[in-house]
Coordinates of all heavy atoms in Angstrom, one line a residue:
M1 N -26.3 -10.6 34.5 CA -25.6 -10.2 33.2 C -24.2 -9.7 33.6 O -24.0 -8.8 34.4 CB -26.4 -9.2 32.5 CG -25.8 -8.8 31.2 SD -26.7 -7.6 30.3 CE -27.9 -8.6 29.5
P2 N -23.1 -10.3 32.9 CA -21.8 -9.9 33.2 C -21.5 -8.5 32.7 O -22.1 -8.1 31.7 CB -20.9 -10.9 32.6 CG -21.8 -11.6 31.5 CD -23.2 -11.4 32.0
E3 N -20.6 -7.8 33.3 CA -20.2 -6.4 32.9 C -19.4 -6.5 31.6 O -18.6 -7.4 31.5 CB -19.4 -5.7 34.0 CG -20.3 -5.2 35.1 CD -19.4 -4.4 36.1 OE1 -18.6 -3.6 35.6 OE2 -19.6 -4.5 37.3
A4 N -19.6 -5.5 30.8 CA -18.8 -5.5 29.6 C -17.4 -5.0 30.0 O -17.2 -4.1 30.7 CB -19.4 -4.5 28.6
T5 N -16.4 -5.7 29.5 CA -15.0 -5.4 29.7 C -14.4 -4.7 28.5 O -14.7 -5.0 27.4 CB -14.2 -6.6 30.1 OG1 -14.2 -7.5 29.0 CG2 -14.7 -7.3 31.3
E6 N -13.5 -3.8 28.8 CA -12.9 -3.0 27.7 C -11.8 -3.9 27.1 O -11.0 -4.5 27.8 CB -12.3 -1.7 28.3 CG -12.1 -0.7 27.3 CD -11.7 0.6 27.9 OE1 -12.4 1.1 28.8 OE2 -10.6 1.1 27.5
V7 N -11.8 -3.9 25.8 CA -10.8 -4.7 25.1 C -9.5 -3.9 25.1 O -9.5 -2.7 24.8 CB -11.3 -5.0 23.6 CG1 -10.2 -5.7 22.9 CG2 -12.6 -5.8 23.7
E8 N -8.4 -4.5 25.4 CA -7.1 -3.8 25.4 C -6.6 -3.7 24.0 O -6.5 -4.6 23.2 CB -6.1 -4.7 26.2 CG -4.8 -3.9 26.4 CD -3.9 -4.7 27.3 OE1 -4.3 -5.4 28.3 OE2 -2.7 -4.6 27.1
K9 N -6.4 -2.4 23.7 CA -5.9 -2.1 22.3 C -4.4 -2.2 22.3 O -3.7 -1.6 23.1 CB -6.3 -0.7 21.9 CG -6.0 -0.3 20.5 CD -6.5 1.1 20.2 CE -6.2 1.5 18.8 NZ -6.7 2.8 18.5
K10 N -3.8 -2.9 21.3 CA -2.4 -3.0 21.2 C -1.9 -1.8 20.4 O -2.3 -1.6 19.3 CB -2.0 -4.3 20.5 CG -2.3 -5.6 21.3 CD -1.8 -6.8 20.6 CE -2.2 -8.0 21.4 NZ -1.8 -9.3 20.7
V11 N -0.9 -1.1 21.0 CA -0.4 0.1 20.4 C 1.1 -0.1 20.2 O 1.8 -0.5 21.2 CB -0.7 1.3 21.3 CG1 -0.1 2.6 20.7 CG2 -2.2 1.5 21.5
N12 N 1.6 0.1 19.1 CA 3.0 0.1 18.8 C 3.7 1.3 19.3 O 3.4 2.4 18.8 CB 3.3 -0.1 17.3 CG 4.7 -0.3 17.0 OD1 5.6 0.0 17.7 ND2 5.0 -0.9 15.8
P13 N 4.6 1.2 20.3 CA 5.2 2.4 20.9 C 6.1 3.1 19.9 O 6.6 4.2 20.2 CB 5.9 1.9 22.1 CG 6.2 0.4 21.8 CD 5.0 0.0 20.9
N14 N 6.5 2.5 18.8 CA 7.4 3.1 17.9 C 6.8 3.9 16.7 O 7.4 4.3 15.8 CB 8.4 2.1 17.3 CG 9.1 1.4 18.4 OD1 9.6 2.0 19.3 ND2 9.2 0.1 18.3
I15 N 5.4 4.0 16.8 CA 4.7 4.7 15.7 C 4.2 6.1 16.2 O 3.8 6.2 17.3 CB 3.4 3.8 15.4 CG1 3.8 2.4 15.0 CG2 2.5 4.5 14.4 CD1 4.5 2.4 13.6
I16 N 4.4 7.0 15.3 CA 3.8 8.4 15.6 C 2.4 8.3 15.2 O 2.1 8.1 14.0 CB 4.6 9.4 14.7 CG1 6.1 9.4 15.0 CG2 4.0 10.8 15.1 CD1 6.9 10.3 14.0
N17 N 1.5 8.6 16.1 CA 0.1 8.5 15.8 C -0.4 9.8 15.2 O 0.2 10.9 15.4 CB -0.7 8.3 17.1 CG -0.5 6.9 17.7 OD1 -0.5 5.9 16.9 ND2 -0.3 6.8 19.0
G18 N -1.4 9.7 14.4 CA -2.0 10.9 13.8 C -1.7 10.9 12.3 O -0.9 10.1 11.8
R19 N -2.4 11.8 11.6 CA -2.2 11.9 10.1 C -0.8 12.4 9.8 O -0.3 13.3 10.3 CB -3.3 12.8 9.6 CG -3.2 12.9 8.1 CD -4.3 13.9 7.6 NE -4.3 14.0 6.2 CZ -3.5 14.8 5.4 NH1 -2.6 15.5 6.0 NH2 -3.6 14.8 4.1
M20 N -0.2 11.7 8.8 CA 1.1 12.1 8.4 C 1.0 13.4 7.5 O 0.2 13.4 6.6 CB 1.8 11.0 7.5 CG 3.2 11.3 7.1 SD 3.9 9.9 6.1 CE 4.2 8.7 7.4
P21 N 1.8 14.4 7.9 CA 1.7 15.7 7.1 C 2.2 15.4 5.6 O 3.1 14.6 5.4 CB 2.7 16.6 7.8 CG 2.7 16.0 9.2 CD 2.6 14.5 9.1
V22 N 1.6 16.2 4.7 CA 1.9 16.0 3.3 C 3.4 16.3 3.0 O 4.0 15.7 2.1 CB 1.0 16.8 2.4 CG1 -0.4 16.3 2.4 CG2 1.1 18.3 2.7
A23 N 4.0 17.2 3.7 CA 5.4 17.5 3.5 C 6.3 16.3 3.8 O 7.3 16.1 3.1 CB 5.9 18.7 4.3
V24 N 5.9 15.5 4.8 CA 6.7 14.3 5.2 C 6.4 13.3 4.1 O 7.3 12.5 3.7 CB 6.3 13.8 6.6 CG1 6.9 12.5 6.9 CG2 6.6 14.9 7.6
V25 N 5.2 13.2 3.6 CA 4.9 12.2 2.5 C 5.8 12.5 1.3 O 6.4 11.6 0.7 CB 3.4 12.3 2.1 CG1 3.2 11.5 0.8 CG2 2.5 11.9 3.2
A26 N 6.0 13.8 0.9 CA 6.8 14.2 -0.2 C 8.3 13.8 0.1 O 9.0 13.4 -0.8 CB 6.7 15.7 -0.5
Q27 N 8.7 14.0 1.3 CA 10.0 13.7 1.7 C 10.3 12.2 1.6 O 11.4 11.8 1.1 CB 10.3 14.2 3.2 CG 11.7 14.0 3.6 CD 11.9 14.5 5.0 OE1 11.0 14.4 5.8 NE2 13.1 15.0 5.3
I28 N 9.3 11.4 2.0 CA 9.5 9.9 1.8 C 9.6 9.6 0.3 O 10.4 8.8 -0.1 CB 8.3 9.2 2.5 CG1 8.4 9.4 4.0 CG2 8.3 7.7 2.1 CD1 7.2 8.9 4.8
R29 N 8.7 10.1 -0.4 CA 8.6 9.8 -1.9 C 9.8 10.3 -2.7 O 10.3 9.6 -3.6 CB 7.3 10.3 -2.4 CG 7.0 9.7 -3.8 CD 5.6 10.0 -4.3 NE 4.6 9.3 -3.5 CZ 3.3 9.8 -3.3 NH1 3.0 10.9 -3.9 NH2 2.5 9.1 -2.6
F30 N 10.2 11.5 -2.4 CA 11.2 12.2 -3.3 C 12.5 12.6 -2.6 O 13.4 13.1 -3.2 CB 10.6 13.4 -3.9 CG 9.3 13.2 -4.6 CD1 8.1 13.6 -4.1 CD2 9.2 12.4 -5.8 CE1 6.9 13.4 -4.7 CE2 8.0 12.1 -6.4 CZ 6.8 12.6 -5.9
G31 N 12.6 12.4 -1.3 CA 13.7 12.9 -0.5 C 15.0 12.1 -0.7 O 15.1 11.1 -1.5
N32 N 16.0 12.5 0.1 CA 17.3 11.8 0.0 C 17.3 10.4 0.4 O 18.3 9.6 0.1 CB 18.3 12.6 0.9 CG 18.5 14.0 0.4 OD1 18.4 14.3 -0.7 ND2 18.8 14.9 1.3
N33 N 16.3 9.9 1.2 CA 16.3 8.5 1.7 C 15.5 7.6 0.8 O 15.3 6.4 1.3 CB 15.7 8.5 3.1 CG 16.5 9.4 4.0 OD1 17.7 9.3 4.1 ND2 15.8 10.3 4.7
K34 N 15.1 8.0 -0.3 CA 14.2 7.1 -1.1 C 14.8 5.8 -1.5 O 14.1 4.9 -1.9 CB 13.7 7.8 -2.3 CG 14.7 8.3 -3.4 CD 14.0 9.1 -4.5 CE 15.0 9.6 -5.4 NZ 14.4 10.5 -6.4
G35 N 16.2 5.6 -1.5 CA 16.8 4.4 -1.8 C 16.9 3.4 -0.7 O 17.3 2.2 -0.8
D36 N 16.5 3.9 0.5 CA 16.6 3.0 1.7 C 15.5 1.9 1.7 O 14.5 2.1 1.1 CB 16.5 3.8 3.0 CG 17.7 4.7 3.3 OD1 18.7 4.6 2.6 OD2 17.6 5.5 4.2
A37 N 15.8 0.9 2.4 CA 14.8 -0.2 2.5 C 13.6 0.3 3.2 O 13.6 1.1 4.1 CB 15.4 -1.4 3.3
T38 N 12.4 -0.3 2.8 CA 11.1 0.1 3.4 C 11.1 0.0 4.9 O 10.6 0.8 5.6 CB 10.0 -0.8 2.7 OG1 10.1 -0.6 1.3 CG2 8.7 -0.4 3.2
K39 N 11.7 -1.1 5.4 CA 11.7 -1.3 6.9 C 12.5 -0.2 7.6 O 12.1 0.3 8.6 CB 12.2 -2.7 7.2 CG 12.1 -3.0 8.7 CD 12.6 -4.4 9.0 CE 12.5 -4.7 10.5 NZ 12.9 -6.1 10.8
E40 N 13.6 0.2 7.0 CA 14.4 1.2 7.6 C 13.7 2.6 7.6 O 13.8 3.3 8.5 CB 15.8 1.4 6.8 CG 16.7 0.2 7.0 CD 17.9 0.3 6.0 OE1 18.1 1.3 5.4 OE2 18.6 -0.7 5.9
L41 N 13.0 2.8 6.5 CA 12.3 4.1 6.4 C 11.1 4.1 7.4 O 10.9 5.1 8.0 CB 11.7 4.3 4.9 CG 12.7 4.6 3.9 CD1 12.1 4.6 2.5 CD2 13.3 6.0 4.1
A42 N 10.5 3.0 7.5 CA 9.4 2.9 8.5 C 9.9 3.2 9.9 O 9.2 4.0 10.7 CB 8.7 1.5 8.5
A43 N 11.0 2.7 10.3 CA 11.6 3.0 11.6 C 12.0 4.4 11.7 O 11.8 5.1 12.8 CB 12.8 2.0 11.9
M44 N 12.6 4.9 10.7 CA 13.1 6.3 10.7 C 12.0 7.3 10.8 O 12.1 8.3 11.5 CB 13.9 6.5 9.4 CG 15.0 7.6 9.5 SD 15.8 7.9 7.9 CE 16.0 6.3 7.2
Y45 N 10.9 7.0 10.1 CA 9.7 8.0 10.1 C 8.7 7.7 11.1 O 7.7 8.3 11.2 CB 9.1 8.0 8.7 CG 9.9 8.8 7.7 CD1 10.8 8.2 6.8 CD2 9.7 10.2 7.6 CE1 11.5 9.0 5.9 CE2 10.5 10.9 6.7 CZ 11.4 10.3 5.9 OH 12.1 11.1 5.0
G46 N 8.9 6.6 11.9 CA 7.9 6.3 13.0 C 6.6 5.9 12.4 O 5.5 6.3 12.9
T47 N 6.6 5.1 11.4 CA 5.3 4.6 10.8 C 5.4 3.1 10.5 O 6.4 2.5 10.9 CB 5.0 5.5 9.6 OG1 3.6 5.2 9.2 CG2 5.9 5.3 8.4
T48 N 4.5 2.6 9.7 CA 4.5 1.2 9.4 C 5.1 1.0 8.0 O 5.1 1.8 7.2 CB 3.0 0.7 9.4 OG1 2.3 1.3 8.4 CG2 2.4 0.8 10.8
V49 N 5.5 -0.3 7.8 CA 6.0 -0.7 6.5 C 5.0 -0.5 5.5 O 5.3 -0.1 4.3 CB 6.5 -2.2 6.6 CG1 6.9 -2.7 5.2 CG2 7.7 -2.3 7.6
G50 N 3.7 -0.8 5.8 CA 2.6 -0.7 4.8 C 2.4 0.7 4.4 O 2.2 1.0 3.2
K51 N 2.5 1.7 5.3 CA 2.4 3.1 5.0 C 3.5 3.6 4.0 O 3.2 4.2 3.0 CB 2.3 4.0 6.2 CG 2.3 5.4 6.0 CD 1.0 5.9 5.3 CE 0.1 6.4 6.3 NZ -1.2 6.8 5.7
I52 N 4.7 3.2 4.3 CA 5.9 3.5 3.5 C 5.7 2.9 2.1 O 5.9 3.6 1.1 CB 7.2 3.1 4.1 CG1 7.5 3.8 5.4 CG2 8.4 3.2 3.1 CD1 7.8 5.3 5.3
D53 N 5.3 1.7 2.1 CA 5.1 1.0 0.8 C 4.0 1.7 0.0 O 4.1 1.9 -1.2 CB 4.7 -0.5 1.0 CG 4.8 -1.4 -0.2 OD1 5.8 -1.2 -0.9 OD2 3.9 -2.2 -0.4
D54 N 2.9 2.0 0.6 CA 1.8 2.8 -0.1 C 2.3 4.1 -0.6 O 2.0 4.5 -1.8 CB 0.6 3.0 0.9 CG -0.2 1.8 1.2 OD1 0.0 0.8 0.5 OD2 -1.0 1.8 2.1
I55 N 3.1 4.8 0.1 CA 3.6 6.1 -0.3 C 4.6 5.9 -1.5 O 4.5 6.6 -2.5 CB 4.3 6.9 0.8 CG1 3.3 7.3 1.9 CG2 5.1 8.1 0.3 CD1 3.8 7.8 3.2
K56 N 5.5 5.0 -1.4 CA 6.4 4.7 -2.5 C 5.7 4.3 -3.8 O 6.2 4.7 -4.9 CB 7.4 3.6 -2.1 CG 8.5 4.1 -1.1 CD 9.3 2.8 -0.7 CE 10.8 3.2 -0.6 NZ 11.6 2.0 -0.4
K57 N 4.7 3.5 -3.7 CA 4.0 3.1 -4.8 C 2.8 4.0 -5.3 O 2.0 3.6 -6.1 CB 3.4 1.6 -4.6 CG 4.6 0.7 -4.5 CD 4.1 -0.7 -4.2 CE 5.3 -1.7 -4.1 NZ 5.0 -3.0 -3.9
N58 N 2.7 5.1 -4.6 CA 1.8 6.2 -5.0 C 0.3 5.7 -4.8 O -0.6 6.1 -5.6 CB 2.0 6.7 -6.4 CG 1.5 8.1 -6.6 OD1 1.3 8.9 -5.6 ND2 1.3 8.5 -7.8
R59 N 0.1 4.9 -3.8 CA -1.3 4.4 -3.6 C -2.1 5.4 -2.7 O -3.3 5.2 -2.6 CB -1.3 3.1 -2.8 CG -0.8 1.9 -3.7 CD -0.9 0.6 -2.9 NE -0.1 -0.4 -3.5 CZ 0.8 -1.1 -2.9 NH1 0.9 -1.0 -1.5 NH2 1.5 -2.0 -3.5
N60 N -1.5 6.3 -2.1 CA -2.2 7.3 -1.4 C -1.4 8.7 -1.5 O -0.3 8.7 -2.0 CB -2.3 7.0 0.1 CG -1.0 6.6 0.8 OD1 0.0 6.9 0.3 ND2 -1.1 6.1 2.0
F61 N -2.1 9.7 -1.2 CA -1.5 11.1 -1.4 C -1.0 11.3 -2.8 O 0.1 11.8 -3.1 CB -0.3 11.3 -0.4 CG -0.6 11.3 1.0 CD1 -0.4 10.1 1.8 CD2 -1.2 12.4 1.7 CE1 -0.7 10.1 3.2 CE2 -1.5 12.4 3.0 CZ -1.3 11.2 3.8
A62 N -1.8 10.8 -3.8 CA -1.4 10.9 -5.2 C -1.3 12.3 -5.7 O -0.6 12.6 -6.6 CB -2.4 10.2 -6.1
Y63 N -1.9 13.3 -5.0 CA -1.8 14.7 -5.3 C -0.4 15.3 -5.0 O -0.1 16.4 -5.4 CB -2.9 15.5 -4.7 CG -2.9 15.4 -3.2 CD1 -2.2 16.3 -2.4 CD2 -3.7 14.4 -2.6 CE1 -2.2 16.2 -1.0 CE2 -3.7 14.3 -1.2 CZ -3.0 15.2 -0.4 OH -3.0 15.1 0.9
V64 N 0.4 14.6 -4.2 CA 1.8 15.0 -3.9 C 2.7 14.6 -5.0 O 3.0 13.4 -5.2 CB 2.2 14.5 -2.5 CG1 3.6 15.0 -2.2 CG2 1.3 14.9 -1.4
V65 N 3.2 15.5 -5.8 CA 4.1 15.2 -6.9 C 5.4 15.9 -6.6 O 5.5 16.8 -5.7 CB 3.5 15.7 -8.3 CG1 2.2 14.9 -8.6 CG2 3.2 17.2 -8.3
E66 N 6.4 15.6 -7.4 CA 7.7 16.1 -7.2 C 7.8 17.6 -7.2 O 8.6 18.3 -6.5 CB 8.7 15.5 -8.2 CG 10.2 15.7 -7.8 CD 11.1 14.7 -8.5 OE1 10.7 14.0 -9.4 OE2 12.3 14.8 -8.2
D67 N 7.0 18.3 -8.0 CA 7.0 19.7 -8.1 C 6.1 20.4 -7.1 O 6.1 21.7 -7.1 CB 6.4 20.1 -9.5 CG 7.4 19.7 -10.6 OD1 8.6 19.5 -10.4 OD2 6.9 19.6 -11.8
T68 N 5.5 19.7 -6.2 CA 4.6 20.3 -5.2 C 5.5 21.1 -4.2 O 6.6 20.7 -3.8 CB 3.9 19.2 -4.3 OG1 3.1 18.4 -5.2 CG2 3.0 19.8 -3.3
R69 N 5.0 22.3 -4.0 CA 5.7 23.2 -3.1 C 4.8 23.4 -1.8 O 3.6 23.5 -1.9 CB 6.0 24.6 -3.7 CG 6.9 24.6 -4.9 CD 8.3 24.2 -4.5 NE 9.1 23.9 -5.7 CZ 9.7 22.8 -5.9 NH1 9.6 21.8 -5.1 NH2 10.4 22.6 -7.0
F70 N 5.5 23.5 -0.7 CA 4.8 23.5 0.6 C 4.9 24.9 1.2 O 6.0 25.5 1.1 CB 5.2 22.4 1.5 CG 5.0 21.0 0.9 CD1 6.0 20.4 0.3 CD2 3.7 20.5 0.9 CE1 5.8 19.1 -0.3 CE2 3.5 19.2 0.3 CZ 4.6 18.6 -0.3
T71 N 3.9 25.3 2.0 CA 4.0 26.5 2.7 C 4.8 26.3 4.0 O 5.1 25.1 4.3 CB 2.5 26.9 3.2 OG1 2.1 25.9 4.1 CG2 1.6 27.1 2.1
Q72 N 5.3 27.3 4.6 CA 6.1 27.2 5.8 C 5.3 26.5 6.9 O 5.8 25.7 7.6 CB 6.6 28.6 6.2 CG 7.6 28.5 7.4 CD 8.8 27.7 7.0 OE1 9.4 27.9 6.0 NE2 9.2 26.7 7.9
A73 N 4.0 26.7 6.9 CA 3.1 26.1 7.9 C 3.1 24.6 7.7 O 3.2 23.8 8.7 CB 1.7 26.7 7.9
Q74 N 3.1 24.1 6.5 CA 3.1 22.7 6.2 C 4.4 22.1 6.6 O 4.5 21.0 7.1 CB 2.8 22.4 4.7 CG 1.3 22.7 4.4 CD 1.1 22.6 2.9 OE1 1.9 23.2 2.1 NE2 0.0 22.0 2.5
I75 N 5.5 22.8 6.3 CA 6.8 22.3 6.7 C 7.0 22.2 8.2 O 7.5 21.3 8.7 CB 7.9 23.2 6.0 CG1 7.9 23.0 4.5 CG2 9.3 22.9 6.6 CD1 8.7 24.1 3.8
D76 N 6.5 23.3 8.9 CA 6.6 23.3 10.3 C 5.7 22.1 10.9 O 6.2 21.5 11.9 CB 6.0 24.6 10.9 CG 7.0 25.8 10.5 OD1 8.1 25.6 10.1 OD2 6.5 27.0 10.6
E77 N 4.6 21.9 10.3 CA 3.7 20.8 10.8 C 4.5 19.4 10.6 O 4.4 18.6 11.5 CB 2.4 20.7 10.0 CG 1.5 19.6 10.3 CD 0.3 19.5 9.4 OE1 0.3 20.0 8.3 OE2 -0.6 18.8 9.8
G78 N 5.2 19.3 9.5 CA 6.0 18.1 9.3 C 7.1 17.9 10.3 O 7.3 16.8 10.8
C79 N 7.8 19.0 10.6 CA 8.9 19.0 11.6 C 8.3 18.6 12.9 O 8.9 17.8 13.7 CB 9.6 20.3 11.6 SG 10.5 20.6 10.1
E80 N 7.2 19.2 13.3 CA 6.7 19.0 14.7 C 6.2 17.5 14.7 O 6.4 16.9 15.8 CB 5.5 19.9 14.9 CG 5.9 21.3 15.2 CD 6.9 21.4 16.3 OE1 6.7 20.8 17.4 OE2 7.9 22.1 16.1
W81 N 5.7 17.0 13.7 CA 5.2 15.6 13.6 C 6.4 14.7 13.8 O 6.4 13.7 14.6 CB 4.5 15.3 12.3 CG 3.8 14.0 12.2 CD1 2.6 13.7 12.7 CD2 4.3 12.8 11.6 NE1 2.3 12.4 12.4 CE2 3.3 11.8 11.7 CE3 5.5 12.5 10.9 CZ2 3.5 10.5 11.2 CZ3 5.6 11.2 10.4 CH2 4.7 10.3 10.6
L82 N 7.5 14.9 13.1 CA 8.7 14.1 13.2 C 9.3 14.2 14.6 O 9.8 13.2 15.1 CB 9.7 14.5 12.1 CG 9.4 14.1 10.7 CD1 10.4 14.8 9.7 CD2 9.5 12.6 10.6
K83 N 9.2 15.3 15.2 CA 9.8 15.5 16.6 C 9.0 14.7 17.6 O 9.5 14.5 18.7 CB 9.9 17.0 16.9 CG 10.9 17.7 16.1 CD 10.9 19.2 16.4 CE 11.9 19.9 15.6 NZ 11.9 21.4 15.8
R84 N 7.8 14.2 17.3 CA 7.1 13.4 18.2 C 7.5 11.9 18.1 O 6.9 11.1 18.9 CB 5.6 13.5 17.8 CG 5.0 14.9 18.1 CD 3.5 15.0 17.9 NE 2.8 13.8 17.7 CZ 1.9 13.6 16.7 NH1 1.6 14.6 15.9 NH2 1.2 12.5 16.6
H85 N 8.5 11.6 17.3 CA 9.0 10.2 17.2 C 9.4 9.7 18.6 O 10.2 10.4 19.3 CB 10.2 10.2 16.2 CG 10.5 8.8 15.7 ND1 10.9 7.8 16.6 CD2 10.5 8.3 14.5 CE1 11.1 6.7 15.9 NE2 10.9 7.0 14.6
P86 N 8.8 8.6 19.0 CA 9.1 8.0 20.3 C 10.6 7.8 20.5 O 11.1 7.8 21.7 CB 8.4 6.7 20.4 CG 7.3 6.8 19.3 CD 7.9 7.7 18.3
K87 N 11.4 7.5 19.5 CA 12.8 7.3 19.6 C 13.5 8.3 18.8 O 14.5 8.0 18.0 CB 13.2 5.9 19.1 CG 12.6 4.8 20.0 CD 13.0 3.4 19.5 CE 12.4 2.4 20.4 NZ 12.8 1.0 20.0
Y88 N 13.2 9.6 18.9 CA 13.7 10.7 18.1 C 15.2 10.7 18.0 O 15.8 10.8 17.0 CB 13.2 12.0 18.6 CG 13.6 13.2 17.8 CD1 13.0 13.5 16.6 CD2 14.6 14.0 18.3 CE1 13.4 14.6 15.9 CE2 15.1 15.1 17.6 CZ 14.4 15.4 16.4 OH 14.8 16.5 15.6
D89 N 15.9 10.6 19.2 CA 17.3 10.7 19.2 C 18.1 9.6 18.5 O 19.1 9.8 18.0 CB 17.8 10.8 20.7 CG 17.3 12.1 21.4 OD1 17.1 13.1 20.7 OD2 17.1 12.0 22.6
E90 N 17.5 8.4 18.6 CA 18.2 7.2 18.0 C 17.6 6.8 16.6 O 18.2 5.9 16.0 CB 18.2 6.0 18.9 CG 16.8 5.7 19.4 CD 16.8 4.8 20.6 OE1 16.9 5.3 21.7 OE2 16.5 3.6 20.4
S91 N 16.6 7.4 16.1 CA 15.9 7.0 14.9 C 16.5 7.7 13.7 O 16.3 7.2 12.6 CB 14.4 7.3 15.0 OG 14.3 8.7 14.9
G92 N 17.2 8.8 13.8 CA 17.7 9.5 12.7 C 16.7 10.6 12.3 O 16.8 11.3 11.3
A93 N 15.6 10.7 13.0 CA 14.5 11.7 12.7 C 15.0 13.1 12.8 O 14.5 14.0 12.1 CB 13.3 11.5 13.6
D94 N 16.1 13.4 13.6 CA 16.6 14.7 13.7 C 17.2 15.1 12.3 O 17.0 16.3 11.9 CB 17.7 14.8 14.8 CG 18.8 13.8 14.7 OD1 18.6 12.8 14.0 OD2 19.8 14.0 15.3
A95 N 17.8 14.2 11.6 CA 18.4 14.5 10.3 C 17.2 14.8 9.3 O 17.3 15.6 8.4 CB 19.3 13.4 9.8
L96 N 16.1 14.1 9.5 CA 15.0 14.3 8.6 C 14.4 15.7 8.8 O 13.9 16.3 7.8 CB 13.9 13.2 8.9 CG 14.3 11.8 8.6 CD1 13.2 10.8 9.0 CD2 14.7 11.6 7.1
V97 N 14.4 16.1 10.0 CA 13.8 17.5 10.3 C 14.7 18.5 9.7 O 14.2 19.4 9.0 CB 13.8 17.7 11.9 CG1 13.5 19.2 12.2 CG2 12.7 16.8 12.5
V98 N 16.0 18.3 9.8 CA 17.0 19.3 9.1 C 16.7 19.3 7.6 O 16.7 20.3 7.0 CB 18.4 18.9 9.5 CG1 19.4 19.7 8.6 CG2 18.7 19.1 10.9
E99 N 16.6 18.1 7.0 CA 16.3 18.0 5.6 C 15.0 18.7 5.2 O 14.9 19.4 4.2 CB 16.3 16.6 5.1 CG 16.0 16.4 3.6 CD 15.8 14.9 3.2 OE1 16.3 14.0 3.9 OE2 15.2 14.7 2.2
L100 N 14.0 18.5 6.0 CA 12.7 19.0 5.7 C 12.7 20.6 5.8 O 12.1 21.3 5.0 CB 11.6 18.4 6.6 CG 10.1 18.7 6.3 CD1 9.8 18.2 4.9 CD2 9.3 18.0 7.4
E101 N 13.4 21.1 6.8 CA 13.5 22.5 7.0 C 14.3 23.1 5.9 O 14.0 24.3 5.5 CB 14.2 22.8 8.3 CG 13.3 22.5 9.5 CD 14.0 22.7 10.9 OE1 15.2 22.6 10.9 OE2 13.3 23.0 11.9
G102 N 15.2 22.4 5.2 CA 16.0 22.9 4.1 C 15.1 22.9 2.9 O 15.3 23.6 1.9

């Protein structure tokens, strides 16, 4: 009987893995960059075009509305998540962190 081989998983190196913090979701939906193209936002936030599209069309995180206020811990979580961007220096994520902290 042949040995089972492990299937190689394709991982996009430009994606921030893990659950997107709700403060970042609100920033995508209501922040200063909401007029940008979906592909640009995906690169900026280190996520997929599909995730950005879902957030913009309110298909997920529906409980995040424009009036939602976040705790400092949630904001800090969002900033730390953005700082994990594989291309942090060239992606524009540093400006997103500044916006989120404000």
Side-chain angles (χ1 to χ4, degrees):
M1 182 178 276
E3 284 187 39
T5 59
E6 202 171 305
V7 176
E8 187 175 325
K9 185 178 179 182
K10 293 182 181 180
V11 177
N12 185 337
N14 300 317
I15 301 291
I16 304 171
N17 291 318
R19 183 181 183 277
M20 183 180 284
V22 293
V24 175
V25 170
Q27 186 178 31
I28 292 170
R29 192 173 290 153
F30 307 111
N32 295 332
N33 301 308
K34 63 183 173 186
D36 290 354
T38 303
K39 185 176 180 181
E40 292 172 9
L41 286 173
M44 209 182 318
Y45 283 95
T47 191
T48 62
V49 171
K51 175 64 97 177
I52 296 292
D53 195 42
D54 286 346
I55 290 170
K56 283 176 141 185
K57 293 181 179 178
N58 206 21
R59 290 188 199 128
N60 55 12
F61 296 100
Y63 56 89
V64 178
V65 295
E66 197 163 4
D67 294 338
T68 302
R69 298 291 170 241
F70 299 99
T71 66
Q72 188 59 49
Q74 290 171 315
I75 293 169
D76 293 344
E77 178 187 19
C79 292
E80 289 304 313
W81 188 83
L82 286 168
K83 288 176 183 177
R84 291 182 13 224
H85 196 297
K87 295 184 178 179
Y88 181 77
D89 295 330
E90 54 197 79
S91 69
D94 55 339
L96 298 175
V97 170
V98 171
E99 179 185 341
L100 192 58
E101 287 174 335

